[in-house]
Amino acid sequence: MADSEIPIHYVATHRKAVELVKAHSRYWVSNCGCRETGKGCKRSKTEVCMSFSEESPGTGSGKREIMLAEVVEILNEAKSKHLVARPFRNDDRTGTEGVCFCRDDCCAYFLDPKEKCDKGEMIETTDFDSCDQCDLCINVCHFGARTVSAGMLKVDREKCYGCGLCADVCPAGAVKMVKR
């Protein structure tokens, strides 16, 4: 597959996003281009596009270097607001340059079907015997993989991109993330 055919973005769990951050010692943040050029995002702040090098252009304005404490704030907001971690690759697709945190109400990937994004290395697995049918996982699944039919949770694993938000919110611990 040619570099240009490999999508620049891929989906990751928040745990993977933290691993990516820990592999670096300097960080920059800019406004999310989707939030700036679109209708805006009503569920999180605009400044959520984090890069690991000064040369990485980012997608929005206002790029500035940040310290680890602010990185931790961004990671905590991403988790509490149920933002999808979408790392982005460098131009030749040989490494990861940073992570943007996306929502279904403002980000191009969710709003434009032509926008490409790779599925993550993880996939959900649900223990239906432990599931208490609370529906919390359905509300955070921006990919449409989790639905209710006849009062029961249904999972379409083909639609699962591996963000792990369903596992993060499951009070019964019925959802786990496993290698794809």
Side-chain angles (χ1 to χ4, degrees), residues 10-13 15-17 19-20 89 118-124 160-163 177-180:
Y10 61 97
V11 172
T13 62
R15 178 176 285 154
K16 179 66 175 183
E19 288 174 20
L20 291 168
R89 299 175 174 109
D118 277 342
K119 291 181 177 181
E121 62 187 25
M122 306 299 279
I123 190 168
E124 74 78 44
C160 177
Y161 269 70
C163 68
M177 299 305 292
V178 296
K179 286 276 188 192
R180 188 174 292 277

mmCIF file with all atom_site columns, all heavy atoms in Angstrom, residues 10-13 15-17 19-20 89 118-124 160-163 177-180:
data_model
loop_
_atom_site.group_PDB
_atom_site.id
_atom_site.type_symbol
_atom_site.label_atom_id
_atom_site.label_alt_id
_atom_site.label_comp_id
_atom_site.label_asym_id
_atom_site.label_entity_id
_atom_site.label_seq_id
_atom_site.pdbx_PDB_ins_code
_atom_site.Cartn_x
_atom_site.Cartn_y
_atom_site.Cartn_z
_atom_site.occupancy
_atom_site.B_iso_or_equiv
_atom_site.pdbx_formal_charge
_atom_site.auth_seq_id
_atom_site.auth_comp_id
_atom_site.auth_asym_id
_atom_site.auth_atom_id
_atom_site.pdbx_PDB_model_num
ATOM 1   N N   . TYR A 1 10  ? -5.553  7.308  12.764 1.00 0.00 ? 10  TYR A N   1
ATOM 2   C CA  . TYR A 1 10  ? -6.041  5.999  13.193 1.00 0.00 ? 10  TYR A CA  1
ATOM 3   C C   . TYR A 1 10  ? -6.649  6.170  14.577 1.00 0.00 ? 10  TYR A C   1
ATOM 4   O O   . TYR A 1 10  ? -6.407  7.176  15.250 1.00 0.00 ? 10  TYR A O   1
ATOM 5   C CB  . TYR A 1 10  ? -4.940  4.931  13.170 1.00 0.00 ? 10  TYR A CB  1
ATOM 6   C CG  . TYR A 1 10  ? -3.748  5.175  14.067 1.00 0.00 ? 10  TYR A CG  1
ATOM 7   C CD1 . TYR A 1 10  ? -3.665  4.591  15.334 1.00 0.00 ? 10  TYR A CD1 1
ATOM 8   C CD2 . TYR A 1 10  ? -2.684  5.958  13.649 1.00 0.00 ? 10  TYR A CD2 1
ATOM 9   C CE1 . TYR A 1 10  ? -2.562  4.791  16.146 1.00 0.00 ? 10  TYR A CE1 1
ATOM 10  C CE2 . TYR A 1 10  ? -1.572  6.157  14.450 1.00 0.00 ? 10  TYR A CE2 1
ATOM 11  C CZ  . TYR A 1 10  ? -1.515  5.576  15.696 1.00 0.00 ? 10  TYR A CZ  1
ATOM 12  O OH  . TYR A 1 10  ? -0.421  5.775  16.508 1.00 0.00 ? 10  TYR A OH  1
ATOM 13  N N   . VAL A 1 11  ? -7.456  5.225  14.977 1.00 0.00 ? 11  VAL A N   1
ATOM 14  C CA  . VAL A 1 11  ? -8.127  5.295  16.269 1.00 0.00 ? 11  VAL A CA  1
ATOM 15  C C   . VAL A 1 11  ? -7.313  4.527  17.300 1.00 0.00 ? 11  VAL A C   1
ATOM 16  O O   . VAL A 1 11  ? -6.710  3.500  16.990 1.00 0.00 ? 11  VAL A O   1
ATOM 17  C CB  . VAL A 1 11  ? -9.566  4.726  16.164 1.00 0.00 ? 11  VAL A CB  1
ATOM 18  C CG1 . VAL A 1 11  ? -10.215 4.596  17.525 1.00 0.00 ? 11  VAL A CG1 1
ATOM 19  C CG2 . VAL A 1 11  ? -10.409 5.611  15.250 1.00 0.00 ? 11  VAL A CG2 1
ATOM 20  N N   . ALA A 1 12  ? -7.312  5.030  18.521 1.00 0.00 ? 12  ALA A N   1
ATOM 21  C CA  . ALA A 1 12  ? -6.604  4.367  19.620 1.00 0.00 ? 12  ALA A CA  1
ATOM 22  C C   . ALA A 1 12  ? -7.418  4.500  20.901 1.00 0.00 ? 12  ALA A C   1
ATOM 23  O O   . ALA A 1 12  ? -8.284  5.374  21.014 1.00 0.00 ? 12  ALA A O   1
ATOM 24  C CB  . ALA A 1 12  ? -5.221  4.995  19.818 1.00 0.00 ? 12  ALA A CB  1
ATOM 25  N N   . THR A 1 13  ? -7.121  3.644  21.853 1.00 0.00 ? 13  THR A N   1
ATOM 26  C CA  . THR A 1 13  ? -7.714  3.777  23.178 1.00 0.00 ? 13  THR A CA  1
ATOM 27  C C   . THR A 1 13  ? -7.022  4.933  23.903 1.00 0.00 ? 13  THR A C   1
ATOM 28  O O   . THR A 1 13  ? -5.946  5.378  23.501 1.00 0.00 ? 13  THR A O   1
ATOM 29  C CB  . THR A 1 13  ? -7.531  2.489  24.007 1.00 0.00 ? 13  THR A CB  1
ATOM 30  O OG1 . THR A 1 13  ? -6.132  2.271  24.187 1.00 0.00 ? 13  THR A OG1 1
ATOM 31  C CG2 . THR A 1 13  ? -8.183  1.282  23.336 1.00 0.00 ? 13  THR A CG2 1
ATOM 32  N N   . ARG A 1 15  ? -5.649  4.624  26.733 1.00 0.00 ? 15  ARG A N   1
ATOM 33  C CA  . ARG A 1 15  ? -4.421  4.010  27.267 1.00 0.00 ? 15  ARG A CA  1
ATOM 34  C C   . ARG A 1 15  ? -3.289  4.111  26.241 1.00 0.00 ? 15  ARG A C   1
ATOM 35  O O   . ARG A 1 15  ? -2.165  4.456  26.578 1.00 0.00 ? 15  ARG A O   1
ATOM 36  C CB  . ARG A 1 15  ? -4.665  2.551  27.654 1.00 0.00 ? 15  ARG A CB  1
ATOM 37  C CG  . ARG A 1 15  ? -3.411  1.859  28.173 1.00 0.00 ? 15  ARG A CG  1
ATOM 38  C CD  . ARG A 1 15  ? -3.680  0.465  28.649 1.00 0.00 ? 15  ARG A CD  1
ATOM 39  N NE  . ARG A 1 15  ? -4.364  0.591  29.928 1.00 0.00 ? 15  ARG A NE  1
ATOM 40  C CZ  . ARG A 1 15  ? -5.185  -0.319 30.425 1.00 0.00 ? 15  ARG A CZ  1
ATOM 41  N NH1 . ARG A 1 15  ? -5.434  -1.418 29.762 1.00 0.00 ? 15  ARG A NH1 1
ATOM 42  N NH2 . ARG A 1 15  ? -5.759  -0.136 31.592 1.00 0.00 ? 15  ARG A NH2 1
ATOM 43  N N   . LYS A 1 16  ? -3.588  3.829  24.975 1.00 0.00 ? 16  LYS A N   1
ATOM 44  C CA  . LYS A 1 16  ? -2.579  3.931  23.921 1.00 0.00 ? 16  LYS A CA  1
ATOM 45  C C   . LYS A 1 16  ? -2.142  5.383  23.750 1.00 0.00 ? 16  LYS A C   1
ATOM 46  O O   . LYS A 1 16  ? -0.954  5.659  23.538 1.00 0.00 ? 16  LYS A O   1
ATOM 47  C CB  . LYS A 1 16  ? -3.134  3.365  22.605 1.00 0.00 ? 16  LYS A CB  1
ATOM 48  C CG  . LYS A 1 16  ? -2.169  3.455  21.447 1.00 0.00 ? 16  LYS A CG  1
ATOM 49  C CD  . LYS A 1 16  ? -0.948  2.580  21.663 1.00 0.00 ? 16  LYS A CD  1
ATOM 50  C CE  . LYS A 1 16  ? -0.048  2.583  20.439 1.00 0.00 ? 16  LYS A CE  1
ATOM 51  N NZ  . LYS A 1 16  ? 1.095   1.705  20.589 1.00 0.00 ? 16  LYS A NZ  1
ATOM 52  N N   . ALA A 1 17  ? -3.075  6.323  23.831 1.00 0.00 ? 17  ALA A N   1
ATOM 53  C CA  . ALA A 1 17  ? -2.725  7.742  23.724 1.00 0.00 ? 17  ALA A CA  1
ATOM 54  C C   . ALA A 1 17  ? -1.741  8.131  24.822 1.00 0.00 ? 17  ALA A C   1
ATOM 55  O O   . ALA A 1 17  ? -0.761  8.843  24.572 1.00 0.00 ? 17  ALA A O   1
ATOM 56  C CB  . ALA A 1 17  ? -3.981  8.608  23.777 1.00 0.00 ? 17  ALA A CB  1
ATOM 57  N N   . GLU A 1 19  ? 0.373   6.092  26.296 1.00 0.00 ? 19  GLU A N   1
ATOM 58  C CA  . GLU A 1 19  ? 1.655   5.468  25.921 1.00 0.00 ? 19  GLU A CA  1
ATOM 59  C C   . GLU A 1 19  ? 2.393   6.317  24.888 1.00 0.00 ? 19  GLU A C   1
ATOM 60  O O   . GLU A 1 19  ? 3.610   6.496  24.979 1.00 0.00 ? 19  GLU A O   1
ATOM 61  C CB  . GLU A 1 19  ? 1.429   4.065  25.344 1.00 0.00 ? 19  GLU A CB  1
ATOM 62  C CG  . GLU A 1 19  ? 1.030   3.029  26.346 1.00 0.00 ? 19  GLU A CG  1
ATOM 63  C CD  . GLU A 1 19  ? 0.688   1.694  25.689 1.00 0.00 ? 19  GLU A CD  1
ATOM 64  O OE1 . GLU A 1 19  ? 1.098   1.447  24.531 1.00 0.00 ? 19  GLU A OE1 1
ATOM 65  O OE2 . GLU A 1 19  ? -0.012  0.906  26.337 1.00 0.00 ? 19  GLU A OE2 1
ATOM 66  N N   . LEU A 1 20  ? 1.670   6.819  23.901 1.00 0.00 ? 20  LEU A N   1
ATOM 67  C CA  . LEU A 1 20  ? 2.285   7.671  22.882 1.00 0.00 ? 20  LEU A CA  1
ATOM 68  C C   . LEU A 1 20  ? 2.869   8.932  23.516 1.00 0.00 ? 20  LEU A C   1
ATOM 69  O O   . LEU A 1 20  ? 3.978   9.351  23.181 1.00 0.00 ? 20  LEU A O   1
ATOM 70  C CB  . LEU A 1 20  ? 1.269   8.040  21.804 1.00 0.00 ? 20  LEU A CB  1
ATOM 71  C CG  . LEU A 1 20  ? 0.817   6.894  20.895 1.00 0.00 ? 20  LEU A CG  1
ATOM 72  C CD1 . LEU A 1 20  ? -0.402  7.319  20.078 1.00 0.00 ? 20  LEU A CD1 1
ATOM 73  C CD2 . LEU A 1 20  ? 1.945   6.445  19.985 1.00 0.00 ? 20  LEU A CD2 1
ATOM 74  N N   . ARG A 1 89  ? -0.370  10.232 11.824 1.00 0.00 ? 89  ARG A N   1
ATOM 75  C CA  . ARG A 1 89  ? 0.941   9.802  11.347 1.00 0.00 ? 89  ARG A CA  1
ATOM 76  C C   . ARG A 1 89  ? 1.675   10.954 10.665 1.00 0.00 ? 89  ARG A C   1
ATOM 77  O O   . ARG A 1 89  ? 1.052   11.911 10.216 1.00 0.00 ? 89  ARG A O   1
ATOM 78  C CB  . ARG A 1 89  ? 0.772   8.652  10.356 1.00 0.00 ? 89  ARG A CB  1
ATOM 79  C CG  . ARG A 1 89  ? 0.103   7.422  10.945 1.00 0.00 ? 89  ARG A CG  1
ATOM 80  C CD  . ARG A 1 89  ? -0.144  6.377  9.863  1.00 0.00 ? 89  ARG A CD  1
ATOM 81  N NE  . ARG A 1 89  ? -0.654  5.142  10.417 1.00 0.00 ? 89  ARG A NE  1
ATOM 82  C CZ  . ARG A 1 89  ? -1.892  4.701  10.272 1.00 0.00 ? 89  ARG A CZ  1
ATOM 83  N NH1 . ARG A 1 89  ? -2.775  5.399  9.570  1.00 0.00 ? 89  ARG A NH1 1
ATOM 84  N NH2 . ARG A 1 89  ? -2.263  3.557  10.806 1.00 0.00 ? 89  ARG A NH2 1
ATOM 85  N N   . ASP A 1 118 ? -7.994  4.779  9.986  1.00 0.00 ? 118 ASP A N   1
ATOM 86  C CA  . ASP A 1 118 ? -7.782  3.356  10.241 1.00 0.00 ? 118 ASP A CA  1
ATOM 87  C C   . ASP A 1 118 ? -8.392  2.941  11.574 1.00 0.00 ? 118 ASP A C   1
ATOM 88  O O   . ASP A 1 118 ? -8.395  3.719  12.534 1.00 0.00 ? 118 ASP A O   1
ATOM 89  C CB  . ASP A 1 118 ? -6.280  3.037  10.307 1.00 0.00 ? 118 ASP A CB  1
ATOM 90  C CG  . ASP A 1 118 ? -5.657  2.825  8.947  1.00 0.00 ? 118 ASP A CG  1
ATOM 91  O OD1 . ASP A 1 118 ? -6.393  2.593  7.971  1.00 0.00 ? 118 ASP A OD1 1
ATOM 92  O OD2 . ASP A 1 118 ? -4.418  2.885  8.870  1.00 0.00 ? 118 ASP A OD2 1
ATOM 93  N N   . LYS A 1 119 ? -8.857  1.715  11.619 1.00 0.00 ? 119 LYS A N   1
ATOM 94  C CA  . LYS A 1 119 ? -9.299  1.146  12.879 1.00 0.00 ? 119 LYS A CA  1
ATOM 95  C C   . LYS A 1 119 ? -8.077  0.942  13.767 1.00 0.00 ? 119 LYS A C   1
ATOM 96  O O   . LYS A 1 119 ? -6.960  0.747  13.281 1.00 0.00 ? 119 LYS A O   1
ATOM 97  C CB  . LYS A 1 119 ? -10.007 -0.185 12.653 1.00 0.00 ? 119 LYS A CB  1
ATOM 98  C CG  . LYS A 1 119 ? -11.344 -0.020 11.955 1.00 0.00 ? 119 LYS A CG  1
ATOM 99  C CD  . LYS A 1 119 ? -12.039 -1.336 11.757 1.00 0.00 ? 119 LYS A CD  1
ATOM 100 C CE  . LYS A 1 119 ? -13.408 -1.106 11.115 1.00 0.00 ? 119 LYS A CE  1
ATOM 101 N NZ  . LYS A 1 119 ? -14.154 -2.345 10.911 1.00 0.00 ? 119 LYS A NZ  1
ATOM 102 N N   . GLY A 1 120 ? -8.290  0.969  15.068 1.00 0.00 ? 120 GLY A N   1
ATOM 103 C CA  . GLY A 1 120 ? -7.205  0.801  16.018 1.00 0.00 ? 120 GLY A CA  1
ATOM 104 C C   . GLY A 1 120 ? -6.785  -0.649 16.166 1.00 0.00 ? 120 GLY A C   1
ATOM 105 O O   . GLY A 1 120 ? -7.419  -1.561 15.629 1.00 0.00 ? 120 GLY A O   1
ATOM 106 N N   . GLU A 1 121 ? -5.735  -0.844 16.936 1.00 0.00 ? 121 GLU A N   1
ATOM 107 C CA  . GLU A 1 121 ? -5.197  -2.191 17.142 1.00 0.00 ? 121 GLU A CA  1
ATOM 108 C C   . GLU A 1 121 ? -6.040  -3.015 18.109 1.00 0.00 ? 121 GLU A C   1
ATOM 109 O O   . GLU A 1 121 ? -5.870  -4.220 18.209 1.00 0.00 ? 121 GLU A O   1
ATOM 110 C CB  . GLU A 1 121 ? -3.748  -2.107 17.625 1.00 0.00 ? 121 GLU A CB  1
ATOM 111 C CG  . GLU A 1 121 ? -3.572  -1.405 18.944 1.00 0.00 ? 121 GLU A CG  1
ATOM 112 C CD  . GLU A 1 121 ? -2.124  -1.175 19.332 1.00 0.00 ? 121 GLU A CD  1
ATOM 113 O OE1 . GLU A 1 121 ? -1.258  -1.108 18.452 1.00 0.00 ? 121 GLU A OE1 1
ATOM 114 O OE2 . GLU A 1 121 ? -1.867  -1.061 20.546 1.00 0.00 ? 121 GLU A OE2 1
ATOM 115 N N   . MET A 1 122 ? -6.959  -2.359 18.800 1.00 0.00 ? 122 MET A N   1
ATOM 116 C CA  . MET A 1 122 ? -7.811  -3.055 19.765 1.00 0.00 ? 122 MET A CA  1
ATOM 117 C C   . MET A 1 122 ? -9.241  -3.154 19.221 1.00 0.00 ? 122 MET A C   1
ATOM 118 O O   . MET A 1 122 ? -9.633  -2.405 18.324 1.00 0.00 ? 122 MET A O   1
ATOM 119 C CB  . MET A 1 122 ? -7.831  -2.304 21.097 1.00 0.00 ? 122 MET A CB  1
ATOM 120 C CG  . MET A 1 122 ? -6.456  -2.032 21.681 1.00 0.00 ? 122 MET A CG  1
ATOM 121 S SD  . MET A 1 122 ? -5.510  -3.513 22.058 1.00 0.00 ? 122 MET A SD  1
ATOM 122 C CE  . MET A 1 122 ? -6.214  -3.940 23.629 1.00 0.00 ? 122 MET A CE  1
ATOM 123 N N   . ILE A 1 123 ? -10.004 -4.093 19.800 1.00 0.00 ? 123 ILE A N   1
ATOM 124 C CA  . ILE A 1 123 ? -11.417 -4.247 19.479 1.00 0.00 ? 123 ILE A CA  1
ATOM 125 C C   . ILE A 1 123 ? -12.139 -4.636 20.767 1.00 0.00 ? 123 ILE A C   1
ATOM 126 O O   . ILE A 1 123 ? -11.549 -5.257 21.654 1.00 0.00 ? 123 ILE A O   1
ATOM 127 C CB  . ILE A 1 123 ? -11.643 -5.285 18.349 1.00 0.00 ? 123 ILE A CB  1
ATOM 128 C CG1 . ILE A 1 123 ? -13.093 -5.259 17.849 1.00 0.00 ? 123 ILE A CG1 1
ATOM 129 C CG2 . ILE A 1 123 ? -11.210 -6.673 18.787 1.00 0.00 ? 123 ILE A CG2 1
ATOM 130 C CD1 . ILE A 1 123 ? -13.319 -6.026 16.552 1.00 0.00 ? 123 ILE A CD1 1
ATOM 131 N N   . GLU A 1 124 ? -13.404 -4.282 20.836 1.00 0.00 ? 124 GLU A N   1
ATOM 132 C CA  . GLU A 1 124 ? -14.176 -4.594 22.047 1.00 0.00 ? 124 GLU A CA  1
ATOM 133 C C   . GLU A 1 124 ? -14.542 -6.072 22.093 1.00 0.00 ? 124 GLU A C   1
ATOM 134 O O   . GLU A 1 124 ? -14.671 -6.736 21.072 1.00 0.00 ? 124 GLU A O   1
ATOM 135 C CB  . GLU A 1 124 ? -15.434 -3.734 22.104 1.00 0.00 ? 124 GLU A CB  1
ATOM 136 C CG  . GLU A 1 124 ? -16.526 -4.143 21.122 1.00 0.00 ? 124 GLU A CG  1
ATOM 137 C CD  . GLU A 1 124 ? -17.342 -5.345 21.550 1.00 0.00 ? 124 GLU A CD  1
ATOM 138 O OE1 . GLU A 1 124 ? -17.743 -5.452 22.718 1.00 0.00 ? 124 GLU A OE1 1
ATOM 139 O OE2 . GLU A 1 124 ? -17.569 -6.208 20.694 1.00 0.00 ? 124 GLU A OE2 1
ATOM 140 N N   . CYS A 1 160 ? -16.735 -1.571 14.968 1.00 0.00 ? 160 CYS A N   1
ATOM 141 C CA  . CYS A 1 160 ? -15.908 -1.157 16.096 1.00 0.00 ? 160 CYS A CA  1
ATOM 142 C C   . CYS A 1 160 ? -14.545 -0.682 15.598 1.00 0.00 ? 160 CYS A C   1
ATOM 143 O O   . CYS A 1 160 ? -13.828 -1.417 14.933 1.00 0.00 ? 160 CYS A O   1
ATOM 144 C CB  . CYS A 1 160 ? -15.723 -2.305 17.087 1.00 0.00 ? 160 CYS A CB  1
ATOM 145 S SG  . CYS A 1 160 ? -14.640 -1.882 18.481 1.00 0.00 ? 160 CYS A SG  1
ATOM 146 N N   . TYR A 1 161 ? -14.204 0.555  15.953 1.00 0.00 ? 161 TYR A N   1
ATOM 147 C CA  . TYR A 1 161 ? -12.908 1.122  15.573 1.00 0.00 ? 161 TYR A CA  1
ATOM 148 C C   . TYR A 1 161 ? -11.873 0.976  16.678 1.00 0.00 ? 161 TYR A C   1
ATOM 149 O O   . TYR A 1 161 ? -10.713 1.312  16.485 1.00 0.00 ? 161 TYR A O   1
ATOM 150 C CB  . TYR A 1 161 ? -13.070 2.587  15.176 1.00 0.00 ? 161 TYR A CB  1
ATOM 151 C CG  . TYR A 1 161 ? -13.320 2.746  13.702 1.00 0.00 ? 161 TYR A CG  1
ATOM 152 C CD1 . TYR A 1 161 ? -14.528 2.347  13.145 1.00 0.00 ? 161 TYR A CD1 1
ATOM 153 C CD2 . TYR A 1 161 ? -12.346 3.250  12.864 1.00 0.00 ? 161 TYR A CD2 1
ATOM 154 C CE1 . TYR A 1 161 ? -14.763 2.467  11.791 1.00 0.00 ? 161 TYR A CE1 1
ATOM 155 C CE2 . TYR A 1 161 ? -12.565 3.372  11.500 1.00 0.00 ? 161 TYR A CE2 1
ATOM 156 C CZ  . TYR A 1 161 ? -13.772 2.975  10.973 1.00 0.00 ? 161 TYR A CZ  1
ATOM 157 O OH  . TYR A 1 161 ? -13.993 3.086  9.627  1.00 0.00 ? 161 TYR A OH  1
ATOM 158 N N   . GLY A 1 162 ? -12.273 0.504  17.851 1.00 0.00 ? 162 GLY A N   1
ATOM 159 C CA  . GLY A 1 162 ? -11.308 0.234  18.911 1.00 0.00 ? 162 GLY A CA  1
ATOM 160 C C   . GLY A 1 162 ? -10.940 1.419  19.771 1.00 0.00 ? 162 GLY A C   1
ATOM 161 O O   . GLY A 1 162 ? -9.839  1.473  20.316 1.00 0.00 ? 162 GLY A O   1
ATOM 162 N N   . CYS A 1 163 ? -11.849 2.363  19.945 1.00 0.00 ? 163 CYS A N   1
ATOM 163 C CA  . CYS A 1 163 ? -11.552 3.539  20.765 1.00 0.00 ? 163 CYS A CA  1
ATOM 164 C C   . CYS A 1 163 ? -11.580 3.230  22.261 1.00 0.00 ? 163 CYS A C   1
ATOM 165 O O   . CYS A 1 163 ? -10.942 3.919  23.051 1.00 0.00 ? 163 CYS A O   1
ATOM 166 C CB  . CYS A 1 163 ? -12.500 4.688  20.447 1.00 0.00 ? 163 CYS A CB  1
ATOM 167 S SG  . CYS A 1 163 ? -14.218 4.408  20.933 1.00 0.00 ? 163 CYS A SG  1
ATOM 168 N N   . MET A 1 177 ? -11.257 -4.462 26.136 1.00 0.00 ? 177 MET A N   1
ATOM 169 C CA  . MET A 1 177 ? -10.596 -4.238 24.867 1.00 0.00 ? 177 MET A CA  1
ATOM 170 C C   . MET A 1 177 ? -9.515  -5.308 24.710 1.00 0.00 ? 177 MET A C   1
ATOM 171 O O   . MET A 1 177 ? -8.753  -5.563 25.641 1.00 0.00 ? 177 MET A O   1
ATOM 172 C CB  . MET A 1 177 ? -9.956  -2.849 24.813 1.00 0.00 ? 177 MET A CB  1
ATOM 173 C CG  . MET A 1 177 ? -10.968 -1.706 24.955 1.00 0.00 ? 177 MET A CG  1
ATOM 174 S SD  . MET A 1 177 ? -12.329 -1.744 23.761 1.00 0.00 ? 177 MET A SD  1
ATOM 175 C CE  . MET A 1 177 ? -11.452 -1.403 22.236 1.00 0.00 ? 177 MET A CE  1
ATOM 176 N N   . VAL A 1 178 ? -9.505  -5.936 23.531 1.00 0.00 ? 178 VAL A N   1
ATOM 177 C CA  . VAL A 1 178 ? -8.529  -6.987 23.236 1.00 0.00 ? 178 VAL A CA  1
ATOM 178 C C   . VAL A 1 178 ? -7.872  -6.677 21.899 1.00 0.00 ? 178 VAL A C   1
ATOM 179 O O   . VAL A 1 178 ? -8.400  -5.896 21.102 1.00 0.00 ? 178 VAL A O   1
ATOM 180 C CB  . VAL A 1 178 ? -9.198  -8.381 23.189 1.00 0.00 ? 178 VAL A CB  1
ATOM 181 C CG1 . VAL A 1 178 ? -9.781  -8.759 24.555 1.00 0.00 ? 178 VAL A CG1 1
ATOM 182 C CG2 . VAL A 1 178 ? -10.280 -8.451 22.125 1.00 0.00 ? 178 VAL A CG2 1
ATOM 183 N N   . LYS A 1 179 ? -6.730  -7.296 21.637 1.00 0.00 ? 179 LYS A N   1
ATOM 184 C CA  . LYS A 1 179 ? -6.047  -7.102 20.348 1.00 0.00 ? 179 LYS A CA  1
ATOM 185 C C   . LYS A 1 179 ? -6.971  -7.509 19.228 1.00 0.00 ? 179 LYS A C   1
ATOM 186 O O   . LYS A 1 179 ? -7.643  -8.544 19.295 1.00 0.00 ? 179 LYS A O   1
ATOM 187 C CB  . LYS A 1 179 ? -4.757  -7.923 20.279 1.00 0.00 ? 179 LYS A CB  1
ATOM 188 C CG  . LYS A 1 179 ? -3.643  -7.373 21.104 1.00 0.00 ? 179 LYS A CG  1
ATOM 189 C CD  . LYS A 1 179 ? -2.920  -6.304 20.341 1.00 0.00 ? 179 LYS A CD  1
ATOM 190 C CE  . LYS A 1 179 ? -1.669  -5.890 21.087 1.00 0.00 ? 179 LYS A CE  1
ATOM 191 N NZ  . LYS A 1 179 ? -1.113  -4.690 20.547 1.00 0.00 ? 179 LYS A NZ  1
ATOM 192 N N   . ARG A 1 180 ? -6.984  -6.710 18.163 1.00 0.00 ? 180 ARG A N   1
ATOM 193 C CA  . ARG A 1 180 ? -7.813  -6.986 16.996 1.00 0.00 ? 180 ARG A CA  1
ATOM 194 C C   . ARG A 1 180 ? -7.276  -8.220 16.294 1.00 0.00 ? 180 ARG A C   1
ATOM 195 O O   . ARG A 1 180 ? -6.119  -8.442 16.178 1.00 0.00 ? 180 ARG A O   1
ATOM 196 C CB  . ARG A 1 180 ? -7.792  -5.763 16.066 1.00 0.00 ? 180 ARG A CB  1
ATOM 197 C CG  . ARG A 1 180 ? -8.766  -5.855 14.915 1.00 0.00 ? 180 ARG A CG  1
ATOM 198 C CD  . ARG A 1 180 ? -8.780  -4.556 14.134 1.00 0.00 ? 180 ARG A CD  1
ATOM 199 N NE  . ARG A 1 180 ? -9.343  -3.444 14.891 1.00 0.00 ? 180 ARG A NE  1
ATOM 200 C CZ  . ARG A 1 180 ? -10.649 -3.199 14.998 1.00 0.00 ? 180 ARG A CZ  1
ATOM 201 N NH1 . ARG A 1 180 ? -11.511 -3.978 14.404 1.00 0.00 ? 180 ARG A NH1 1
ATOM 202 N NH2 . ARG A 1 180 ? -11.084 -2.183 15.692 1.00 0.00 ? 180 ARG A NH2 1
#
